[in-house]
Amino acid sequence: MTDAQLPPNGTAPVAADAGPEFGHVPAETAPAGPLLRLVRRQEVAFALVGGFNTLMGMVLTIFWLTVLGDSVSEDVAAALSVALAYAVGMVIAFALHRTLVFRVRGHLLRDFVAFVGVNAVGMVLNMVLLQLAVSLLHAPAKPAAVVVMGLVAVASFFGHRHISFRRPADSAAVHPDR
């Protein structure tokens, strides 16, 4: 959402309005969910859901470390717990972003594949930009990591808005209920 508050009818955009020149129609609307009614800005909702997802990822990693316990070696448990937490967290993050932030319907599989793709690009961007900041700019690694993560989070917001949860121009005309 932009700086404007929700319209009086209580609806919020469910997809970005990139304009007809980019093959998009104005955003579909759906009733604002509880998060968008509370914060009124899609960017803030994205940050809140992202913060929750980060905490959830930490909890899931610890959960899997505990579950795996002594059944595998400590090294295997460490790697496997991150992978399992990431897989479970990705599905939950997708559901939360889809329903609480971008408020879209339909195209479930396409949206999920795009969501995973945008997140994968974000991970690669994090790795490359942090490496460049540390090796070429000689920036201290920890502050550079914070800055890079912030930049990638902003890029991810736009990636999800314009790729993961976009709606083509013909979607509203052919499927007005989506």
Side-chain angles (χ1 to χ4, degrees), residues 113-133:
V113 169
F115 184 82
V116 171
V118 167
N119 281 314
V121 169
M123 182 179 69
V124 171
L125 265 175
N126 260 310
M127 293 166 60
V128 169
L129 292 176
L130 183 57
Q131 184 63 38
L132 290 173

Side-chain angles (χ1 to χ4, degrees), residues 25 28 107 167-178:
V25 294
E28 300 174 43
H107 308 290
R167 291 298 179 256
D170 63 348
S171 177
V174 176
H175 306 287
D177 59 329
R178 289 188 182 174

Side-chain angles (χ1 to χ4, degrees), residues 95-163:
L96 293 176
H97 279 98
R98 183 178 168 84
T99 58
L100 296 177
V101 178
F102 295 101
R103 311 274 305 143
V104 295
R105 291 181 225 125
H107 308 290
L108 185 67
L109 183 59
R110 189 212 71 84
D111 289 354
F112 183 72
V113 169
F115 184 82
V116 171
V118 167
N119 281 314
V121 169
M123 182 179 69
V124 171
L125 265 175
N126 260 310
M127 293 166 60
V128 169
L129 292 176
L130 183 57
Q131 184 63 38
L132 290 173
V134 172
S135 63
L136 291 179
L137 301 177
H138 304 290
K142 291 175 185 172
V146 171
V147 170
V148 166
M149 286 180 186
L151 292 173
V152 172
V154 171
S156 293
F157 171 76
F158 289 105
H160 290 309
R161 176 188 267 183
H162 296 289
I163 298 170

